[in-house]
Amino acid sequence: MQNLLKIGKINYAGPTSETPLSFKHYNPAELIDGKTLKDHLRFSIAYWHSFRGTGGDPFGPGTIVRPWETGKDAISVAKKRADVAFEFFQKIEAPFYCFHDRDIAPEGRSLRESNQRLDKIVAHFKQLQQATGVRLLWGTANLFGNPRFMNGAATNPDAHVFAYAAAQVKKALEVTKELGGENYVFWGGREGYDTLLNTNLKREQAHLAAFLHLAVDYAKAIGFKGQFLIEPKPKEPTKHQYDFDVASGIAFLKTFGLDQHFKFNIETNHATLAGHTFQHEIEVAAAVGLLGSIDANTGDTLIGWDTDQFNTDVKELTLAMVSILRAGGLGSGGFNFDAKLRRPSVDIEDLFHAHIGGMDAYALAFKLARQILAEGKFEQFVADRYATFDSGFGRAIEQGKTSFKELEQIAFKLGEPKLRSGRQEYLENLLNTYIHRG
Ligand code: XUL
Ligand code: CO
């Protein structure tokens, strides 16, 4: 491994270690149920934040300057950057990474030139993947940065832009397949509106569905077997994004016959922007068998935008992990750190601290969630709470074998239902007994 980062490989040092650049809970080689923790957690690094992020925010330009970002031309810089990125993936023990097409290769003056540049860089990425064993969790196309997408991509009122976006996704699917990507993500940053005064909402939603169907058809045509994922977000940059949250995403997928082809990539900060908890979004997706992958980050309760911070809140992550494990895990998905450094965190060392913190918090949450599920106290509590539906007329209700008339007779006979406590405070205390075992 080269040493362009000037920081060594991060090792597991155990929960009591005081060495900052070490893992306290993420021991990649630890065997759990015959599988390594590395394979259970399937961590992924987001190329856009960690290797294209500059630290800029809506009020000021970038602050982060990396030594490898200079060179004789854009292609050679893109290759050097990729070399550093793969060094980082290995040193931080992440088995996966994710990218947008325009993160890895600079856009050209024409679509043809952009495609040629992408091909050159993809060949380099393929070599790096082979040399390091690091794999592609998902690919995606950036359909929001270039001014041509200012009115949307698939939902643009101009069919020309729709065609351009289609061409870009066609190519992104080809390169994702070429690199063995296990999933392909659609995040519709500009697939929404800023004002209904200029928007035909019904047509835009139908166009978005048509676009996704075309992507499914093309994946079939080229033999791309990865899982398609949509990533809900309520707003930002648009005022209202069509796949607002998981619930509206389910309605959209079912309305347009897409639910057989898509699952959800759930992002914590998007969940909270929609007014939900992270765990809520996971539960809603899991309830209909559409939980796909996680974009791991968090917002800040005091800041109203998508701050994409590294999440170190073990309690929040434990609750999320309980829901994920109960749903049977993420399958071909993983935990992708769609998270960025704070603007003043300008050192390479900060990139390591950020990922160590996020990985440790997820690893600890994973272990605590396993204990919670193994002991089954919450599961038993919830099962008991619904026990009246396990037999008699409760069972008949669940099986659709009763009527209002019959239920009226039961209500007359049984009289007033007894008040039964939900025991919320007891359960919150019980949860803390696990969190503080940490
Ligand atoms: C934006 C966001 C994206 C997607 C990929 O909020 O989360 O980075 O994950 O386009
Ligand atoms: Co994301």
Side-chain angles (χ1 to χ4, degrees):
M1 209 190 303
Q2 326 181 49
N3 194 7
L4 299 164
L5 289 163
K6 311 272 185 284
I7 287 178
K9 190 172 171 304
I10 304 304
N11 295 311
Y12 172 70
T16 55
S17 166
E18 290 180 11
T19 307
L21 288 173
S22 71
F23 292 122
K24 317 294 178 296
H25 302 283
Y26 177 47
N27 179 5
E30 184 177 346
L31 275 179
I32 297 179
D33 285 346
K35 210 160 102 173
T36 63
L37 195 50
K38 192 170 184 171
D39 289 340
H40 274 289
L41 293 170
R42 294 168 64 85
F43 285 140
S44 161
I45 308 301
Y47 205 82
W48 53 100
H49 284 313
S50 291
F51 292 93
R52 301 313 310 272
T54 61
D57 70 16
F59 301 92
T63 52
I64 295 171
V65 183
R66 300 296 189 214
W68 54 82
E69 289 292 328
T70 52
K72 65 176 174 13
D73 59 76
I75 294 291
S76 58
V77 172
K79 285 186 182 165
K80 207 191 317 170
R81 182 189 299 129
D83 296 343
V84 182
F86 276 77
E87 181 187 321
F88 180 71
F89 305 156
Q90 286 177 285
K91 286 183 168 171
I92 204 74
E93 296 264 16
F96 291 101
Y97 72 105
C98 295
F99 66 79
H100 300 84
D101 49 1
R102 303 301 180 240
D103 302 334
I104 61 170
E107 188 157 8
R109 280 156 301 177
S110 67
L111 184 60
R112 270 208 180 79
E113 192 184 38
S114 297
N115 287 352
Q116 283 159 3
R117 288 179 168 192
L118 197 52
D119 284 336
K120 271 193 201 146
I121 297 295
V122 164
H124 190 67
F125 270 69
K126 204 170 174 184
Q127 284 172 7
L128 288 167
Q129 286 190 191
Q130 277 159 3
T132 60
V134 175
R135 292 177 284 157
L136 177 62
L137 186 66
W138 49 263
T140 188
N142 181 327
L143 302 178
F144 46 88
N146 190 290
R148 79 175 70 86
F149 298 121
M150 67 181 188
N151 290 311
T155 61
N156 199 292
D158 183 352
H160 184 173
V161 180
F162 184 104
Y164 199 106
Q168 208 178 309
V169 170
K170 173 179 177 288
K171 184 69 184 171
L173 280 168
E174 291 164 9
V175 305
T176 300
K177 176 176 185 263
E178 173 72 11
L179 293 172
E182 300 193 14
N183 307 269
Y184 184 90
V185 164
F186 285 90
W187 169 63
R190 297 198 192 271
E191 311 296 23
Y193 60 82
D194 289 321
T195 172
L196 285 171
L197 291 173
N198 64 13
T199 303
N200 185 328
L201 180 146
K202 184 175 174 181
R203 271 182 109 168
E204 290 202 358
Q205 290 194 330
H207 294 170
L208 180 57
F211 193 92
L212 298 179
H213 273 295
L214 290 168
V216 169
D217 292 347
Y218 191 66
K220 218 174 271 168
I222 62 171
F224 172 65
K225 301 263 178 343
Q227 174 66 50
F228 275 115
L229 300 168
I230 65 169
E231 185 181 323
K233 185 176 182 182
K235 57 189 168 192
E236 198 194 279
T238 57
K239 169 163 111 173
H240 191 113
Q241 193 177 303
Y242 293 127
D243 49 358
F244 189 92
D245 59 3
V246 173
S248 53
I250 292 170
F252 173 82
L253 293 177
K254 287 196 187 281
T255 302
F256 293 101
L258 285 158
D259 51 312
Q260 298 305 308
H261 307 293
F262 283 81
K263 287 186 176 175
F264 288 96
N265 183 35
I266 296 172
E267 179 164 325
T268 322
N269 205 164
H270 296 181
T272 50
L273 279 174
H276 304 306
T277 62
F278 182 28
Q279 191 186 17
H280 169 90
E281 289 293 78
I282 293 165
E283 286 281 330
V284 175
V288 290
L290 296 182
L291 177 61
S293 199
I294 299 293
D295 264 8
N297 64 16
T298 187
D300 186 306
T301 45
L302 300 183
I303 299 178
W305 76 76
D306 193 13
T307 56
D308 285 345
Q309 291 170 228
F310 283 81
N311 197 341
T312 54
D313 181 340
V314 175
K315 193 186 258 187
E316 179 182 38
L317 297 182
T318 300
L319 291 170
M321 275 292 187
V322 165
S323 294
I324 291 167
L325 295 179
R326 201 167 40 208
L330 297 174
S332 68
F335 295 97
N336 172 49
F337 289 101
D338 191 356
K340 64 184 176 208
L341 296 172
R342 297 306 86 202
R343 193 164 183 258
S345 299
V346 294
D347 294 343
I348 292 169
E349 185 182 321
D350 295 314
L351 193 62
F352 281 89
H353 289 303
H355 284 88
I356 289 169
M359 289 168 148
D360 269 341
Y362 263 94
L364 178 55
F366 175 76
K367 292 176 193 176
L368 294 174
R370 282 175 54 88
Q371 285 178 24
I372 288 173
L373 290 170
E375 290 177 24
K377 290 181 187 160
F378 292 97
E379 302 298 293
Q380 192 57 54
F381 184 91
V382 174
D384 290 347
R385 196 161 181 243
Y386 293 85
T388 53
F389 285 93
D390 293 341
S391 60
F393 67 89
R395 191 165 175 73
I397 292 170
E398 283 199 349
Q399 293 177 333
K401 288 184 181 158
T402 186
S403 64
F404 265 11
K405 246 173 122 176
E406 199 173 74
L407 293 171
E408 184 190 45
Q409 288 311 307
I410 291 166
F412 281 144
K413 192 174 134 212
L414 296 182
E416 189 59 31
K418 192 168 170 273
L419 297 183
R420 296 161 63 207
S421 169
R423 295 267 185 276
Q424 181 170 334
E425 295 79 4
Y426 155 72
L427 293 166
E428 285 166 352
N429 296 349
L430 179 61
L431 179 63
N432 265 350
T433 66
Y434 289 92
I435 303 298
H436 297 293
R437 276 185 211 179

